[in-house]
Amino acid sequence: MSETGAGSTEPVLDVEDIHVYYGAIHALKGVSLRVGASEIVTLIGANGAGKSTTLRAINGLNHPRQGAIRFEGRDITTATPHSIVQGGIAQSPEGRRLFPRMSVTENLEMGAFQRTDREHFKEDMDRVFELFPRLHERRHQKAGTMSGGEQQMCAIGRALMAKPKLLLLDEPSMGLAPIFVEKIFEIVREINAGGTPVLLVEQNALMALDTAHRAYVMETGRIALQGPAAELKTNERVQKAYLGLE
Ligand SMILES: Nc1ncnc2c1ncn2[C@@H]1O[C@H](COP(=O)(O)OP(=O)(O)O)[C@@H](O)[C@H]1O
Ligand SMILES: [Mg+2]
């Protein structure tokens, strides 16, 4: 199996040895990872390991001091967040950050805000409602009055409205009831099956490893392990530290 997954040679996203700081705090100490064109790649690890910081670097919110980030072959290491979104990377952020007093439909519309090709807008909204029938039922409801699971669906739907060429998800299952957790991971697979590569940050290692093609395990600002998700699931160290198995 090629390193970037079935059928693809060039990765869509190539993060190479990045070092990221918060002031004097050295949060990422040489992180490298790749996402191939047809892949779901998961980044798992304990709280504080540096998962969100990795996504912030990819989004242009915290530029690396060293190393490089390439997207579709272009260097985006120091690109602005705006140009990165316009280039096709969209994220459903940790904690969702919807506009609570706006309706579901209005929140979804905000996701398409940066797009220049608005002629497919209606189709894309329909596609989101197809993926999330629940959002269609609640389309007139204020986002802030929905359950956590429904809000997460809305946040993912909003990211999809940007028509991303790469979708970043930061802990989409956090705080959700088990039935919604299942649903969210199912949707991630469906989005990927539709042709969108996904970088999935998760603390729910079991579900993430069951969903992804490949995985990286992050420990204190470094990639400690990497490989096909199915292989990491049987790795003794992963089982002890992240899957609660002895
Ligand atoms: N805004 C910030 N200011 C200072 N340190 C931060 C900030 N955000 C995160 N950190 C630190 O960076 C490290 C990685 O955090 P983070 O990327 O949020 O981890 P994770 O998403 O894996 O839980 C942690 O030690 C955290 O305390
Ligand atoms: Mg985080």
Side-chain angles (χ1 to χ4, degrees):
M1 196 170 134
S2 77
E3 212 225 323
T4 53
S8 58
T9 45
E10 278 293 298
V12 173
L13 179 74
D14 186 1
V15 174
E16 193 189 325
D17 196 27
I18 59 168
H19 290 254
V20 174
Y21 294 76
Y22 293 101
I25 299 167
H26 195 173
L28 300 188
K29 301 164 185 161
V31 168
S32 298
L33 63 85
R34 291 171 152 209
V35 180
S38 55
E39 284 190 306
I40 302 173
V41 172
T42 189
L43 182 57
I44 59 175
N47 198 16
K51 304 181 299 299
S52 295
T53 304
T54 303
L55 294 187
R56 288 175 59 82
I58 297 166
N59 281 325
L61 296 169
N62 195 347
H63 294 310
R65 268 194 219 169
Q66 263 186 69
I69 304 175
R70 280 178 290 272
F71 177 60
E72 295 188 317
R74 275 175 297 118
D75 191 313
I76 59 160
T77 316
T78 57
T80 62
H82 177 78
S83 70
I84 289 171
V85 173
Q86 284 217 315
I89 300 182
Q91 180 174 345
S92 164
E94 187 174 357
R96 308 186 270 270
R97 305 215 199 101
L98 295 173
F99 300 97
R101 287 145 75 95
M102 283 169 50
S103 72
V104 167
T105 303
E106 287 164 342
N107 269 281
L108 293 176
E109 282 167 3
M110 294 303 287
F113 186 63
Q114 309 251 22
R115 274 173 56 178
T116 46
D117 61 320
R118 302 188 53 107
E119 67 268 28
H120 300 297
F121 186 82
K122 169 81 170 61
E123 264 166 56
D124 297 333
M125 183 83 78
D126 288 346
R127 163 91 183 124
V128 168
F129 285 144
E130 221 173 90
L131 275 173
F132 300 105
R134 177 86 73 143
L135 290 184
H136 187 254
E137 284 165 31
R138 311 239 150 161
R139 63 193 180 280
H140 302 303
Q141 193 168 326
K142 285 193 171 70
T145 65
M146 300 196 298
S147 75
E150 289 161 348
Q151 290 191 31
Q152 185 61 62
M153 290 175 183
C154 192
I156 296 173
R158 185 179 56 182
L160 289 177
M161 287 300 291
K163 269 265 172 111
K165 292 189 250 174
L166 172 66
L167 179 64
L168 310 179
L169 298 173
D170 197 350
E171 309 230 16
S173 78
M174 189 167 57
L176 303 190
I179 183 167
F180 276 121
V181 172
E182 291 277 348
K183 183 76 196 157
I184 292 292
F185 285 102
E186 202 183 296
I187 293 288
V188 169
R189 279 190 289 264
E190 223 174 303
I191 290 167
N192 177 251
T196 308
V198 180
L199 178 57
L200 170 67
V201 162
E202 262 300 333
Q203 273 196 67
N204 187 334
L206 183 62
M207 290 297 290
L209 290 175
D210 278 341
T211 303
H213 302 106
R214 285 189 310 113
Y216 294 86
V217 179
M218 204 164 190
E219 285 173 6
T220 56
R222 291 191 171 89
I223 302 294
L225 291 166
Q226 59 180 294
E231 262 172 43
L232 284 186
K233 209 180 146 186
T234 63
N235 178 293
E236 206 178 319
R237 191 163 146 204
V238 172
Q239 292 196 337
K240 276 196 183 138
Y242 302 103
L243 302 178
L245 301 169
E246 285 303 319

